[in-house]
Amino acid sequence: MENIVDLESSNLTQTLLGDKKISKAGCIFGLLRAHGTSIFTNSNFRKKNNNDENPESRILRNATSDKLSVVKSLQSNLNGLVIEEAKERLQKYGQNVLSCKRASPWYSLLWNAFWHPFNVILLVLGAISAATGDKGTLFVMCLMVALSVGVRFYQELKSSRAATRLADLVKYRATVIRREFDYEKIVEMEIPQEDVVPGDVVVLRSGDLFPGDIRLLTSTNLYVSQSALTGESIPVEKTADVIEDISTPVFDMRNVGFMGTSVESGEGLGVVFSTGDNTYISTIAGMLGNRNPTNAFQKGVRQVSYMLILFMLAMVPIVIVISGFTTHNWGGSFLFGISVAVGLTPEMLPMIVNANLARGALAMAHKKCIVKRLDAIQNMGAMDILCTDKTGTLTVDHVAMAQHMDSRCLSKDRVLKYAYLNSYFQKGLKNPIDSAVLTFGDTIADKGNVDTSNYRCIAELPFDFTRRRLSVILKEVDDGGDIYKMQHERNLETMCTLSNERHVLVTKGALEEMLTICSRVQETNTIVAMTKEYREKLLFIGEELNTDGLRVVAVATKLLECTCSDLPASTESSEFLERDYSHEDENDMVFQGFITFQDPPKESAKGAINALSQKGISVKVLTGDTLAIAIKICKDVGIVVDHVTTGPRLALLDAAQFVEEIKKATVMAKLTPTQKMQVVEALKSANHTVGFIGDGINDSLALKAADVGISVDSATSVAKDAAQIILLEKDLDVLVAGVIRGRITHGNTIKYIKMAASSNFGNVFSILVASAWLPFDPMKPIQILTQNLLYDFSQASIPWDRMDSDYLEIPHQWSATGIVSFMIFMGPISSVFDIATFLLLWFGYGVCTPEQQALFQTCWFLEGLLTQTLVIHMLRTRRIPFLEETASWPVLLTTATIVGIGLAIPFTLLGATEMMAKPPISYFGFLAVIVLSYCCLAQLVKGAYIKIFGKWL
């Protein structure tokens, strides 16, 4: 049996966290060689990836086994898979992608386009028509289904392919450890998440997504957000050094990480035991279809659809009964009623909505916005509050270190030294602060102020958003420096002389939080007590620096108690017994000084903020930074600061006070990630459409909670996963362009919905009057279908229409009551002119008998088609059409085409097939008068509607 290295006995965790110049992979390999451990072979890994188990059983089996047994069962290795073996496994098991996230195949899109209630209605009507020998009606209905399905299929297929291309720009990656054939070369490589395979050893750091279900091998203060699965916003601690009990609930298992969850803080290693559809999240995604909660827009479209279908279902029996009693032809009346139902059914509504959103997504792509969820486009247009972080959005996101000084504001190299050591040895997610410290230190390295060669990192206490600080524990060889002097102060010189090594805790973090753990202050040549007055003095210095626009970070140190092993009296040196360190060690520290940073505002930010304000969008700044810096930046970019608040203050308020406070506040500082989410949710509860733009781990909860979550392509993977829209440039100017496109998409969708609702509402009255009055059907079923088909295609160009400039200046939220009021006001107008047409034909042309019904039906066909087609231009704008505002050329072209086809039909073979009569020439004069009068009345009613309700669309 092959030997297996014991992670605990060989202190692998310590080795992994050791000298930064040695890769983790190299440490593992060196450790295994030191123990004489043989390497697992992967060539025999040919068994099925436990597909006979369900995901929960697989998790339970691995969580209740020791970590080395899990590695062995996967035929893997602590050093990772051989590169060639990983390629073979990828071919065998496929890409690490959930089925629900794969692009739908074309036949699935075709079926989804076909399987729609409106299409079923048409096919049922066609079947009935075929049974009665009406082949013309059958042909038209099949044509309507084919065209509706074809257009929707084409749009969704094009949208799907475009979304796939765009999604390729937003790739999630994972860091894995793999080996080459000679086993000597072990590399830590970054690969696409979809290329991760069972058996891969994965490196986990702050901000990383778990690329599969993983059994942890090592962990250091590892906190994981499982909100994607549980909805619980509080991170949970994970540890590799436990073996779970079989009765432990799945989400309480501490040694397992689930695909889709993310690392909040800390780091670790894990071996992947499930990928793709074998992961736990696949069971949830399969049940939910990977769908987000229904938003207001989707609910509104659904309500309108149900309302129109309800009209249809209510009208059909009434029309059939009235027509049957009037014509005494119950069979024909039944067919007429079914045709009326089809005419009242907005069968093109799904296609129009999808085409609007798809075109909006492609247009936004040209504006450097990637849309992950199509319905986020209209939410962007409806957004009236934008919550944003400060860094990178309002500032240039290039943090530069400015000063390093002690408590008396004197420049001191030791402050830089400790800050540099902290940033250099920390292994979590590198942030701009660390990069700025390292860059600044490297520029003066030739002076000998920063030297890491005498130190080795033995442990780390990673940053989290509660402590707001990060610590590293360093092993130092005595060089007589400042730390040695501190040690001497604490009467530990004897032990240090014997060991010639020391452990020192070096911490940097937010000033207020750092002062709570410091009991002393390092001055030039001495260490003094941290009194209340001294603490207030340091806070005042920090506030003054913040007021100048500088971000302040405090640095502190502490010599740790250390124990020597087996120390004979004559021994000159020995090794320390290293122990576990925790947050409790961050106390009784010595305050060393300040380091300050500057991140100047973007030159473009002021103009973008002004543009958003002109578009009716209020900007609120939500930041974890200090209040003074946030206020300074806001003033620099032109944000009017009327009221401010902080996270600690918000924590003291009840729910009602919380909502009132955040509604007034322009700047909210010192917020935790959970508080950012609560702010977004509270604004939504106050009937606002809220956008949030952020790029950090601490922004992910707020991104998910917002109506439209916006991130950037350089964001952490967890932030991009939570967002609905990705900006390829971290610039508010890009966002302004996205808002405009969102409003165009929203407006064009509302156009169609209001047109369809009002037109159908008017047709209800016209059909009721005609059915009760006439001794024959006012229009044949085939004619109703043809008219409906032509009208639908006259509206198919709406997604390519433009919006009034004043419509784009303010946000517009979805309003179902607004659609009802629009329908009631505008719908009956068409009935007025339908009835006028009936009177003209009855009394003017004497068309009043069943023998003359062909002429009546043809004339009403033309009047109904022309008024419905031309009214698009009346309803699409609040201005006077053709004089003050003209539609886009696709709308003009489709209108002219449909009107021309409609006028020609009675004189063609199609008209003869549909039993139409050729209208007298004089009728076209009256028709022109009716259409012109209809447009004039519609414009007058439109003006009255705008005066009453204050808006149009």
Side-chain angles (χ1 to χ4, degrees):
M1 180 178 294
E2 300 183 38
N3 296 323
I4 303 176
V5 63
D6 185 342
L7 291 179
E8 286 80 4
S9 66
S10 52
N11 199 11
L12 177 60
T13 303
Q14 175 188 330
T15 304
L16 290 178
L17 300 176
D19 190 345
K20 190 168 183 174
K21 296 179 180 178
I22 304 175
S23 71
K24 293 180 174 64
C27 291
I28 299 176
F29 182 71
L31 184 63
L32 292 175
R33 286 176 54 189
H35 280 259
T37 305
S38 58
I39 305 296
F40 294 140
T41 59
N42 296 317
S43 57
N44 295 324
F45 186 78
R46 291 293 181 271
K47 294 183 179 179
K48 197 175 183 180
N49 183 27
N50 299 315
N51 286 335
D52 54 327
E53 290 182 294
N54 62 51
E56 188 166 351
S57 299
R58 192 177 302 112
I59 291 169
L60 183 62
R61 176 171 56 79
N62 287 285
T64 55
S65 303
D66 68 88
K67 47 195 170 187
L68 294 173
S69 297
V70 174
V71 174
K72 190 172 184 179
S73 69
L74 292 166
Q75 296 287 328
S76 187
N77 188 286
L78 293 173
N79 291 334
L81 296 172
V82 176
I83 293 176
E84 290 302 317
E85 173 65 16
K87 293 179 180 178
E88 292 180 12
R89 293 192 183 195
L90 183 61
Q91 290 181 346
K92 183 176 180 65
Y93 299 108
Q95 288 194 318
N96 179 28
V97 180
L98 298 177
S99 294
C100 61
K101 289 192 175 182
R102 294 188 178 99
S104 299
W106 67 268
Y107 50 83
S108 177
L109 293 176
L110 181 60
W111 174 252
N112 290 336
F114 171 78
W115 188 249
H116 193 281
F118 300 152
N119 293 331
V120 173
I121 292 173
L122 293 176
L123 292 176
V124 169
L125 180 56
I128 295 174
S129 300
T132 59
D134 190 352
K135 295 181 180 180
T137 301
L138 173 62
F139 171 78
V140 172
M141 292 178 185
C142 290
L143 179 63
M144 290 180 68
V145 171
L147 291 175
S148 178
V149 171
V151 171
R152 185 178 177 190
F153 168 69
Y154 173 74
Q155 289 290 347
E156 293 192 354
L157 180 63
K158 187 167 67 171
S159 175
S160 176
R161 290 176 176 175
T164 300
R165 290 194 301 269
L166 296 175
D168 287 340
L169 301 175
V170 187
K171 287 290 187 181
Y172 302 130
R173 305 185 71 82
T175 303
V176 299
I177 297 172
R178 288 183 178 171
R179 296 174 289 141
E180 295 190 354
F181 282 116
D182 57 8
Y183 294 167
E184 292 288 338
K185 189 172 182 181
I186 302 170
V187 293
E188 179 181 305
M189 59 175 59
E190 195 176 77
I191 64 173
Q193 180 174 296
E194 56 263 32
D195 291 345
V196 173
V197 297
D200 260 327
V201 175
V202 180
V203 180
L204 302 167
R205 299 188 181 99
S206 296
D208 289 344
L209 287 175
F210 280 78
D213 289 345
I214 290 175
R215 173 60 161 93
L216 293 175
L217 301 177
T218 70
S219 59
T220 304
N221 297 303
L222 187 63
Y223 285 84
V224 174
S225 171
Q226 298 186 158
S227 60
L229 298 179
T230 65
E232 178 58 53
S233 61
I234 300 176
V236 296
E237 185 174 11
K238 297 286 186 177
T239 177
D241 299 324
V242 296
I243 297 177
E244 294 291 357
D245 185 80
I246 195 172
S247 61
T248 305
V250 170
F251 292 130
D252 292 339
M253 292 179 174
R254 294 165 293 169
N255 59 4
V256 171
F258 304 99
M259 184 178 188
T261 62
S262 58
V263 179
E264 285 282 320
S265 61
E267 63 179 0
L269 289 176
V271 61
V272 178
F273 60 81
S274 293
T275 59
D277 288 336
N278 291 321
T279 58
Y280 189 83
I281 196 174
S282 69
T283 62
I284 300 175
M287 290 185 291
L288 298 180
N290 199 38
R291 294 185 180 180
N292 291 283
T294 304
N295 58 37
F297 182 78
Q298 293 169 323
K299 290 179 181 177
V301 172
R302 185 179 302 168
Q303 289 172 356
V304 171
S305 299
Y306 289 161
M307 179 182 66
L308 295 176
I309 291 175
L310 183 62
F311 268 119
M312 175 195 71
L313 295 176
M315 288 303 302
V316 167
I318 298 174
V319 169
I320 291 175
V321 170
I322 294 176
S323 179
F325 278 110
T326 304
T327 64
H328 306 290
N329 181 2
W330 289 97
S333 297
F334 176 77
L335 288 177
F336 176 71
I338 296 298
S339 300
V340 169
V342 175
L344 296 177
T345 302
E347 63 276 355
M348 301 293 277
L349 178 60
M351 187 277 292
I352 293 291
V353 172
N354 289 335
N356 257 314
L357 297 177
R359 185 171 186 275
L362 293 175
M364 290 180 70
H366 293 301
K367 299 293 185 180
K368 299 184 179 180
C369 295
I370 298 174
V371 180
K372 294 172 59 182
R373 277 185 57 189
L374 287 180
D375 54 23
I377 299 172
Q378 68 84 26
N379 280 335
M380 202 168 189
M383 176 176 66
D384 60 339
I385 292 180
L386 174 65
C387 298
T388 177
D389 195 6
K390 170 182 64 65
T391 304
T393 306
L394 303 179
T395 64
V396 297
D397 198 18
H398 181 71
V399 178
M401 184 170 164
Q403 301 164 305
H404 50 97
M405 53 193 183
D406 65 4
S407 60
R408 297 184 177 183
C409 297
L410 300 174
S411 178
K412 291 294 181 180
D413 290 340
R414 73 165 190 277
V415 179
L416 172 61
K417 175 181 180 179
Y418 299 141
Y420 188 95
L421 291 173
N422 180 283
S423 296
Y424 182 86
F425 284 106
Q426 75 98 356
K427 298 178 178 63
L429 188 67
K430 280 288 187 292
N431 58 51
I433 293 294
D434 290 309
S435 300
V437 170
L438 296 176
T439 299
F440 188 89
D442 290 339
T443 59
I444 61 171
D446 57 331
K447 299 180 182 179
N449 293 324
V450 182
D451 184 7
T452 61
S453 60
N454 292 327
Y455 299 92
R456 175 171 172 249
C457 181
I458 58 173
E460 178 179 348
L461 305 177
F463 178 87
D464 63 60
F465 297 100
T466 302
R467 292 163 43 252
R468 291 168 58 80
R469 55 181 176 263
L470 180 148
S471 297
V472 294
I473 294 87
L474 306 178
K475 179 182 289 187
E476 179 198 21
V477 178
D478 179 21
D479 63 355
D482 293 319
I483 299 179
Y484 179 78
K485 294 175 183 177
M486 289 171 52
Q487 195 170 14
H488 183 78
E489 293 280 342
R490 302 194 56 181
N491 300 316
L492 297 173
E493 64 272 11
T494 302
M495 179 175 66
C496 295
T497 301
L498 290 171
S499 68
N500 208 35
E501 291 181 342
R502 293 182 294 276
H503 289 187
V504 61
L505 177 69
V506 182
T507 305
K508 76 173 187 301
L511 179 60
E512 291 183 30
E513 284 76 3
M514 289 290 291
L515 290 179
T516 63
I517 60 173
C518 292
S519 60
R520 292 168 294 157
V521 181
Q522 176 77 52
E523 294 191 343
T524 304
N525 295 312
T526 185
I527 297 176
V528 300
M530 174 77 78
T531 63
K532 180 180 179 181
E533 292 75 16
Y534 212 137
R535 181 174 285 104
E536 291 176 352
K537 170 191 169 184
L538 295 175
L539 286 172
F540 178 77
I541 293 173
E543 290 174 0
E544 289 293 306
L545 292 169
N546 289 160
T547 302
D548 292 336
L550 295 172
R551 184 171 183 177
V552 179
V553 174
V555 180
T557 59
K558 173 185 177 181
L559 188 70
L560 297 169
E561 299 287 350
C562 40
T563 305
C564 297
S565 58
D566 303 324
L567 265 180
S570 60
T571 302
E572 293 185 1
S573 65
S574 63
E575 295 183 356
F576 289 120
L577 288 178
E578 296 175 357
R579 61 181 178 85
D580 292 333
Y581 295 99
S582 67
H583 299 158
E584 283 70 30
D585 289 299
E586 295 175 332
N587 64 73
D588 192 27
M589 299 192 72
V590 177
F591 181 86
Q592 293 291 336
F594 309 94
I595 51 176
T596 64
F597 304 86
Q598 56 186 359
D599 184 10
K602 287 182 177 178
E603 294 182 0
S604 62
K606 190 168 186 177
I609 293 295
N610 183 57
L612 288 172
S613 177
Q614 291 178 352
K615 300 298 180 192
I617 299 176
S618 301
V619 178
K620 293 181 181 288
V621 177
L622 278 58
T623 180
D625 212 338
T626 58
L627 185 59
I629 292 179
I631 293 175
K632 175 70 165 56
I633 293 296
C634 287
K635 289 181 178 178
D636 289 343
V637 299
I639 297 177
V640 179
V641 181
D642 295 322
H643 184 73
V644 299
T645 190
T646 63
R649 170 173 169 74
L650 292 175
L652 301 176
L653 305 179
D654 60 32
Q657 293 172 329
F658 185 93
V659 173
E660 290 303 314
E661 180 74 2
I662 63 155
K663 285 169 63 177
K664 294 186 297 182
T666 305
V667 178
M668 287 162 263
K670 305 283 284 187
L671 297 181
T672 66
T674 302
Q675 286 179 321
K676 287 185 178 183
M677 176 188 68
Q678 291 170 344
V679 168
V680 170
E681 291 177 338
L683 290 171
K684 288 173 62 179
S685 69
N687 296 320
H688 291 287
T689 301
V690 183
F692 184 91
I693 180 170
D695 61 355
I697 306 167
N698 57 330
D699 298 322
S700 57
L701 295 176
L703 285 167
K704 194 70 174 179
D707 289 303
V708 51
I710 307 163
S711 192
V712 294
D713 63 338
S714 59
T716 59
S717 56
V718 64
K720 288 190 289 188
D721 190 59
Q724 301 162 3
I725 291 177
I726 306 294
L727 303 182
L728 298 183
E729 289 184 1
K730 196 172 185 180
D731 195 327
L732 289 179
D733 284 331
V734 178
L735 187 60
V736 173
V739 167
I740 294 173
R741 171 47 60 181
R743 291 182 181 176
I744 292 173
T745 301
H746 183 272
N748 283 334
T749 304
I750 292 298
K751 278 181 193 176
Y752 175 80
I753 291 174
K754 288 190 172 182
M755 289 176 189
S758 60
S759 176
N760 288 2
F761 187 74
N763 287 340
V764 167
F765 290 103
S766 299
I767 291 172
L768 282 175
V769 171
S771 299
W773 179 11
L774 301 173
F776 49 83
D777 291 335
M779 202 181 300
K780 293 189 181 300
I782 188 66
Q783 295 168 352
I784 293 177
L785 296 177
T786 302
Q787 185 189 72
N788 191 58
L789 179 65
L790 293 172
Y791 175 60
D792 282 338
F793 278 92
S794 71
Q795 294 180 314
S797 59
I798 287 177
W800 286 264
D801 195 15
R802 62 174 66 94
M803 295 299 302
D804 291 348
S805 58
D806 54 352
Y807 182 90
L808 302 178
E809 294 303 311
I810 59 174
H812 301 270
Q813 296 187 1
W814 178 267
S815 174
T817 56
I819 293 174
V820 173
S821 61
F822 189 95
M823 180 179 67
I824 293 174
F825 253 78
M826 302 304 297
I829 298 176
S830 63
S831 296
V832 171
F833 292 93
D834 287 339
I835 294 172
T837 302
F838 298 162
L839 294 173
L840 173 66
L841 293 172
W842 185 278
F843 295 105
Y845 287 93
V847 182
C848 53
T849 63
E851 291 75 19
Q852 298 172 303
Q853 62 178 309
L855 179 59
F856 187 100
Q857 293 163 348
T858 302
C859 291
W860 190 35
F861 171 89
L862 293 175
E863 183 269 339
L865 177 63
L866 264 61
T867 53
Q868 288 189 85
T869 302
L870 292 173
V871 80
I872 292 175
H873 297 269
M874 306 303 301
L875 301 185
R876 59 167 296 278
T877 176
R878 62 184 295 160
R879 300 172 182 171
I880 301 175
F882 304 112
L883 297 179
E884 295 180 340
E885 176 67 26
T886 304
S888 64
W889 71 264
V891 175
L892 292 173
L893 179 62
T894 53
T895 298
T897 301
I898 296 303
V899 168
I901 291 173
L903 291 173
I905 284 178
F907 304 94
T908 64
L909 179 61
L910 177 60
T913 303
E914 296 188 3
M915 293 178 284
M916 291 185 179
K918 296 178 181 179
I921 299 300
S922 60
Y923 174 73
F924 289 99
F926 288 113
L927 181 60
V929 172
I930 290 173
V931 170
L932 181 61
S933 301
Y934 176 75
C935 291
C936 292
L937 181 59
Q939 185 66 31
L940 292 174
V941 175
K942 178 167 64 175
Y945 180 93
I946 293 172
K947 288 183 178 179
I948 295 173
F949 295 99
K951 62 179 183 179
W952 181 232
L953 294 176

